[in-house]
Amino acid sequence: MNVHAPLAEAKLDPATTAFAADVTEALSQQPKKLSPKYFYDEAGSQLFEQITKLPEYYPTRTELGILRARGKDICSIIPKDAALVEFGAGATTKVRLLLEQCSFGAYVPVDISGDFLADQAAELRKDFPTLDVLPVNADFTTTFDLPTDVKAMPKVGFFPGSTLGNFDPHEACAFLRSARQILGKGALMLIGIDLEKDERVLQAAYNDAAGVTGEFNKNVLVRINRELGGDFDLGAFVHRAIYNKERHRIEMHLIAKKPQTVHLLGRSFNFRAGESIHTESSYKYSMERFGALARGSGWEPKSSWTDAEEQFSVHALVA
Ligand code: AVJ
C-alpha cells in the first residue's frame, strides 16, 4: 500500500529537485542504477563512519597508518606556508594527521554540505589557532574558486579515502584535470588510492558480516522514500557486492527479490525478480595503472607510499 503520496512539484527545493531528476533518470536506465553521492544523508554518513571501523573494511585504517608512518616523508615535499585544499571534506581525522605533522599556511575544505563544513571548521580553528581555515561550500566535482587569501600561496590538493575510486576512469581523469586547473601549475596533489587485491578480501570489505554495508546500501532507498515520496519495499531488495574483474571494481547492487512495481514522483518503475539497481562502483588500481591515469590527466607522479601488505597507497602528484 503506497503510504507516500507523490510530492507535488511545487514543494521541492532545488536540492530535492536535482535529487528527483537524478533518481528518475538513473532508474530509467538499463541496467537501473543510482549515484553513490546520494548515500550520504545524515543516516548514510553515520553508517559510513561505522563501516570505517568494521574489521573487514581495511581502507580507512590502512590509509591512516600510511599517513602516520610516512608523515615525515610526505611533509618533506610540502612547500612552506602552502594552502591545503581538501576535495570533499568528510571526517577530519586524516587531515588532522597532516596538519599535525606538516606546517600549512591555510586549510581550504571544499564540500557541498555547508553546515557540516562550518562545524568542522570551527573545531579545527580551536585546535589549530594559527591556521587560516577557509571553508568553500561547493561541489568539488565541478570547478570552484579558491579563496582570494590563498591565491598567492603554493597549493597542495588532498583527496584521501580512494574516493576517486567511485568515479569511472574517464570521470576520474576529468576530475584530476579539473583539480589541476583549480590548483594551478606546480601544485602538489596528495591522493589515496585503494589497490587491487584478492577478491575475497574485497567481497568481505563490501559485504561485512554485521550487515552494516547492506544497511548503508539500502539507506538510499530509505532516503528516496522519505524525500521523494517513493514506496520502495525495503524487505523486497537484498544487498549484493559483486567483484567485476575485467573492470577492476567492486560493485554494490540492490537486487529485487521478487517482481514488483515502485511508484515514485508520478512514475512507475517495474522490477523483474533478480533485477539489480547498481548503486556504487569502487575501482581498485595497480600502482602502474594509477600512474598512467595521473599522467593521462596532466599530473606527474612524484612519490608514493604503501602499507607493508600493499593494500592501500598514497600518491604525491605534481601539476
Ligand atoms: C567512501 C567511496 C571510498 O568506495 O570504499 C564503503 C564507500 N562503499 N563501503 C568505498 C563505501 C561501501 C567508500 N568510499
Side-chain angles (χ1 to χ4, degrees):
M1 198 253 281
N2 176 7
V3 292
H4 299 275
L7 290 174
E9 283 302 309
K11 277 192 198 154
L12 300 184
D13 62 64
T16 308
T17 304
F19 182 28
D22 281 359
V23 166
T24 308
E25 190 270 334
L27 289 178
S28 304
Q29 305 276 320
Q30 273 307 331
K32 293 181 174 72
K33 60 182 187 177
L34 286 170
S35 166
K37 69 181 179 182
Y38 293 118
F39 280 140
Y40 302 95
D41 61 355
E42 182 62 36
S45 301
Q46 300 286 342
L47 284 164
F48 176 61
E49 277 311 300
Q50 284 178 47
I51 286 172
T52 64
K53 298 177 175 66
L54 289 168
E56 301 96 328
Y57 191 75
Y58 60 87
T60 307
R61 65 172 159 271
T62 309
E63 183 175 42
L64 282 168
I66 296 169
L67 292 174
R68 274 193 200 95
R70 311 306 300 272
K72 279 202 178 9
D73 300 340
I74 294 170
C75 295
S76 68
I77 62 170
I78 304 276
K80 197 162 165 11
D81 292 335
L84 181 66
V85 181
E86 184 169 6
F87 294 88
T92 55
T93 326
K94 289 172 190 164
V95 76
R96 282 173 178 274
L97 262 176
L98 274 189
L99 295 172
E100 281 154 12
Q101 299 182 82
C102 319
S103 70
F104 287 98
Y107 169 53
V108 182
V110 183
D111 200 275
I112 202 159
S113 55
D115 308 348
F116 182 77
L117 259 189
D119 297 348
Q120 297 288 355
E123 285 302 305
L124 282 166
R125 287 189 189 105
K126 271 192 256 168
D127 300 333
F128 299 90
T130 60
L131 181 72
D132 218 356
V133 181
L134 304 164
V136 170
N137 186 356
D139 175 352
F140 70 82
T141 63
T142 62
T143 48
F144 55 87
D145 285 327
L146 290 174
T148 319
D149 292 8
V150 306
K151 293 256 191 231
M153 297 165 85
K155 310 290 188 302
V156 176
F158 186 43
F159 194 43
S162 200
T163 302
L164 187 80
N166 267 175
F167 296 146
D168 290 329
H170 66 282
E171 293 166 329
C173 186
F175 165 73
L176 288 172
R177 282 188 182 286
S178 157
R180 189 170 180 279
Q181 285 300 319
I182 291 165
L183 296 172
K185 187 97 188 79
L188 210 60
M189 178 77 152
L190 293 174
I191 185 163
I193 296 291
D194 198 8
L195 297 175
E196 271 183 319
K197 53 181 64 58
D198 182 326
E199 69 179 88
R200 287 164 300 183
V201 174
L202 292 173
Q203 281 288 353
Y206 290 85
N207 190 18
D208 63 284
V212 181
T213 308
E215 206 185 331
F216 172 71
N217 196 6
K218 277 199 182 180
N219 179 62
V220 70
L221 302 186
V222 174
R223 183 177 182 183
I224 288 173
N225 284 353
R226 183 182 64 245
E227 295 184 21
L228 303 181
D231 63 0
F232 275 100
D233 170 359
L234 300 190
F237 286 86
V238 63
H239 165 71
R240 181 87 42 84
I242 300 169
Y243 184 58
N244 184 329
K245 210 174 180 66
E246 51 278 359
R247 302 286 300 269
H248 306 287
R249 71 189 194 194
I250 184 97
E251 299 172 0
M252 290 215 302
H253 293 260
L254 290 168
I255 310 288
K257 293 186 336 194
K258 62 186 184 194
Q260 56 195 290
T261 298
V262 173
H263 306 91
L264 177 62
L265 298 164
R267 301 260 315 258
S268 299
F269 296 93
N270 298 320
F271 289 84
R272 299 180 310 284
E275 186 175 356
S276 149
I277 306 173
H278 180 182
T279 55
E280 183 190 65
S281 292
S282 295
Y283 284 83
K284 307 304 175 186
Y285 287 87
S286 66
M287 297 296 273
E288 298 69 31
R289 272 192 305 108
F290 177 69
L293 172 68
R295 285 190 194 87
S297 56
W299 289 90
E300 190 51 42
K302 180 182 174 75
S303 304
S304 62
W305 303 273
T306 67
D307 59 296
E309 286 75 43
E310 297 189 1
Q311 286 205 308
F312 201 92
S313 60
V314 173
H315 300 255
L317 312 176
V318 180

